[in-house]
Amino acid sequence: MATGTLIRKVHMDCPLCDRKHEVEERKRVATIILKGEEISYEEKFYLCANADADENEFETGSMTNANLLNARNAYRVKHGLLTSEEIVAIRENYGLSQVDLARLLGWGEATISRYESKAIQDEAYDTMLRLVKDNPLIALDFLKKNAVKFSDQKRAEIRTKIVEKLGSYGKEYLTRQAFEGEYADFEEPSDANGFTILDVDKIEVLISYIAEKVPNLFKVKLMKMLWYVDAVSCKMRGRAMTGLVYRHNTMGALPMGHYSLMNLENLNVHEEESYNYDSMLHIYPTKGMDYSILNDDEKEIIDKVINKFKNYKAKDIIEYMHEEKAYVETKPGDIIPFSLAKEIREF
Ligand SMILES: [Zn+2]
C-alpha cells in the first residue's frame, strides 16, 4: 500500500523487479528510537509499482544515510542541540576543516566529522560549539589554549581567519587586551604609574584631544607630550592622569607598550612616509570622540602642555626633555619614577 507523498519520478535500475523503469521517490513521517526515545522525522523511499504491495519499497544507501541524518537532526531540534547543518555552518563560517575545528576545541580529530555525519553530540560539546559560533573572541581563546595542536604556520593561518570574523567591537577588545596585557605588572598604584591605574578610555580621549589642538602630531612628539601631561598632573595634584609607565629611551620618555598603544582601535593613526622615507605614525583626532570624560582640572593640565609644546618639532621636545632631572638621573631602559618626573622645570 503506497503511503507518503510523491516527490518525483526517477528512471533507474529497480532492485525489486530487476528492471530499468520509472520509480516514485516519496516522503513520509516516520518514527525511530534514538537514545531510548521515540523521534518523528521525515524519511524518503522509492516505490516500485511492479512489486507486491507488501514489499514494494526500497532505499538506496545514500538515502538511508540521509534518513538517519534527518532522524538525528529531529532529535537535536527536540533537545535544543545544534543540527549537523549548523555544525557545518560554524566550521565553514571560520573557513576551517573538520580536523582543524576539532583540534581548535581540543577534541579528537574525528569528532567534528562524526557530528556532521553520524553521531549526536553531547550537551557539553554542543555548548562549546555554540560559544565558538557566537563569539570569535572565544574561538581565539580556544586557539590559544590548544596552540600546541597546530604548527606555527597553521596556527597563524587559523588566527587570521578568526580575526576576520571579529566585528569592530571584537577588534577593539583585542587591541585593548594586547595593550593592557603589557601592564599586567602594574595593577597597583605605585611611583612607576604615578599612583594611577592604567585608564585606556582616558588615554584614547587624551590623545585625540591633543591631536585636535596640535597640527602635524607624530608619534615621537606625542609620546613626550603624554609624559609631560602625566608629570604636570603629578606635580599639580599628586597623581598621574593616564596610568602609563614610562621608560628612559634615547629619544626621551617612552610609554611601555607603545606599539600596542598606537594600535588601539579608537585612535586615528595613519602611517605616513616622511621626507627621508622613514615611515612615521601621524595621529589625527578621532571622529565623534567624547571629551566629557576629561574634567576641568585635567583639561587645564593638558592645555598647559599643549601650549608649551604645540610648535616644538620632535627634535626640540626630545632635547627639552633631555634636560629634565627625571632623564638625567635615570639610565637607558629604566622606568622613570614619578617622584622624579614631578620635578620637571616650571613652564
Ligand atoms: Zn521495480
Side-chain angles (χ1 to χ4, degrees), residues 53-100:
D54 58 343
E55 46 188 58
N56 60 355
E57 294 175 10
F58 68 96
E59 290 176 0
T60 58
S62 63
M63 202 176 232
T64 303
N65 286 340
N67 285 339
L68 277 172
L69 196 64
N70 265 352
R72 283 189 295 263
N73 280 335
Y75 178 96
R76 286 164 154 138
V77 169
K78 190 175 172 188
H79 289 267
L81 298 170
L82 294 162
T83 64
S84 51
E85 286 87 356
E86 287 172 318
I87 296 173
V88 173
I90 293 171
R91 183 168 64 70
E92 288 182 343
N93 179 43
Y94 285 116
L96 299 177
S97 70
Q98 294 174 328
V99 171
D100 286 343

Side-chain angles (χ1 to χ4, degrees), residues 12-202:
M12 66 188 293
D13 285 320
C14 173
L16 296 186
C17 63
D18 267 337
R19 283 179 10 217
K20 197 166 184 136
H21 71 101
E22 205 163 59
V23 299
E24 291 185 0
E25 183 180 344
R26 292 183 157 254
K27 62 176 180 184
R28 68 184 162 208
V29 175
T31 55
I32 189 174
I33 303 293
L34 277 182
K35 298 195 168 194
E37 193 177 327
E38 190 176 272
I39 298 292
S40 298
Y41 69 103
E42 186 184 280
E43 78 170 358
K44 290 177 180 173
F45 61 99
Y46 289 118
L47 190 81
C48 165
N50 303 329
D52 293 339
D54 58 343
E55 46 188 58
N56 60 355
E57 294 175 10
F58 68 96
E59 290 176 0
T60 58
S62 63
M63 202 176 232
T64 303
N65 286 340
N67 285 339
L68 277 172
L69 196 64
N70 265 352
R72 283 189 295 263
N73 280 335
Y75 178 96
R76 286 164 154 138
V77 169
K78 190 175 172 188
H79 289 267
L81 298 170
L82 294 162
T83 64
S84 51
E85 286 87 356
E86 287 172 318
I87 296 173
V88 173
I90 293 171
R91 183 168 64 70
E92 288 182 343
N93 179 43
Y94 285 116
L96 299 177
S97 70
Q98 294 174 328
V99 171
D100 286 343
L101 180 56
R103 284 182 178 161
L104 179 79
L105 294 167
W107 301 346
E109 288 190 2
T111 313
I112 291 293
S113 157
R114 279 209 323 274
Y115 290 164
E116 286 184 11
S117 59
K118 48 180 186 275
I120 295 171
Q121 68 276 21
D122 290 338
E123 197 135 342
Y125 283 67
D126 196 77
T127 304
M128 282 170 83
L129 282 165
R130 279 174 197 279
L131 288 174
V132 169
K133 169 179 178 272
D134 296 331
N135 192 341
L137 290 168
I138 291 180
L140 282 178
D141 274 349
F142 275 117
L143 184 62
K144 205 186 269 179
K145 188 171 157 233
N146 296 310
V148 293
K149 304 210 171 193
F150 299 98
S151 67
D152 287 352
Q153 194 196 333
K154 188 81 191 172
R155 194 171 64 232
E157 233 177 81
I158 292 175
R159 190 174 195 283
T160 304
K161 285 174 177 172
I162 298 173
V163 168
E164 278 170 13
K165 294 293 156 196
L166 286 171
S168 56
Y169 170 79
K171 285 189 180 122
E172 186 188 331
Y173 175 87
L174 258 198
T175 53
R176 270 177 183 248
Q177 215 185 27
F179 181 50
E180 285 168 349
E182 311 220 29
Y183 280 76
D185 291 338
F186 298 92
E187 284 174 346
E188 299 295 326
S190 69
D191 196 17
N193 55 25
F195 299 94
T196 302
I197 305 305
L198 188 74
D199 185 340
V200 181
D201 289 334
K202 188 158 286 176

